Amino acid sequence: AATIQDLSSNAAAEHAQFVARYVNGSFSAKSGNRTVAIVATTEDGKLNRAMTTALASRFQNDALILSSFFKSEFVSDGLFNDAFTGSSELFRKLDLTNSVDMLLLARQDVQYSQSAALENVITATMRLDVVAVSVSGQSNSKTWTFTAYGPGFTKEVARSAAEERIIKQIATDTKMSLN
């Protein structure tokens, strides 16, 4: 028969395994600075390194920025969507309050249109929704939305042009603040 101690060490091992699946273990304790983990996703639910980097450089003077805190499974297993909606249950399950103060999450969406009047130029309309969520639940979340259009003769070129424009908007933005 399993003892209570066996069960609790089993539960602790399962919990550690769960956290290790989603969080890179190299970040353990918070420093004196505010610590912010950043994750940005593409419209097809994958990590978006370019947007993550743009947001990280935008906020690098405001906090200690962790742009590789989460593993790709955090996005592919659907936890990103729970975090985006501010799931305090998820924050507790991942022990986030022990390592970060805030999550900065960005979700990208792209729509394509084509115009025969413009020699079949494809336009990518990209929207980036950004939310800053306190993992302790102490403060309200903040949201920002960026939109850009990108022209091109292929979807890839149009998408890339729209993404570059959003990255420029993030770099020059004066309204986003973590405070």
Side-chain angles (χ1 to χ4, degrees), residues 5-107:
Q5 190 171 2
D6 290 342
L7 291 174
S8 68
S9 67
N10 215 6
E14 280 179 26
H15 177 74
Q17 229 175 352
F18 177 80
V19 171
R21 176 169 173 80
Y22 301 110
V23 175
N24 282 310
S26 52
F27 310 106
S28 51
K30 289 189 237 184
S31 67
N33 294 352
R34 181 166 24 182
T35 307
V36 179
I38 296 181
V39 183
T41 64
T42 61
E43 63 279 7
D44 54 359
K46 296 191 173 36
L47 285 175
N48 185 327
R49 297 279 176 221
M51 279 304 171
T52 299
T53 301
L55 288 164
S57 54
R58 168 63 182 76
F59 289 108
Q60 67 188 0
N61 297 330
D62 300 345
L64 174 61
I65 303 296
L66 306 176
S67 57
S68 57
F69 182 81
F70 290 106
K71 295 180 178 176
S72 60
E73 288 82 359
F74 180 75
V75 175
S76 62
D77 290 359
L79 276 67
F80 173 85
N81 291 329
D82 293 341
F84 199 85
T85 58
S87 168
S88 55
E89 176 68 16
L90 174 65
F91 302 160
R92 189 187 57 70
K93 276 186 184 171
L94 288 172
D95 296 332
L96 294 184
T97 53
N98 297 335
S99 14
V100 297
D101 298 299
M102 185 176 275
L103 299 182
L104 190 65
L105 306 169
R107 183 166 40 198

Side-chain angles (χ1 to χ4, degrees), residues 78-140:
L79 276 67
F80 173 85
N81 291 329
D82 293 341
F84 199 85
T85 58
S87 168
S88 55
E89 176 68 16
L90 174 65
F91 302 160
R92 189 187 57 70
K93 276 186 184 171
L94 288 172
D95 296 332
L96 294 184
T97 53
N98 297 335
S99 14
V100 297
D101 298 299
M102 185 176 275
L103 299 182
L104 190 65
L105 306 169
R107 183 166 40 198
Q108 201 169 346
D109 183 48
V110 184
Q111 304 293 322
Y112 297 97
S113 59
Q114 198 164 0
S115 171
L118 296 172
E119 298 178 28
N120 290 321
V121 164
I122 296 170
T123 300
T125 304
M126 183 175 288
R127 175 183 162 138
L128 184 73
D129 292 309
V130 182
V131 63
V133 184
S134 164
V135 296
S136 67
Q138 296 298 314
S139 60
N140 292 334

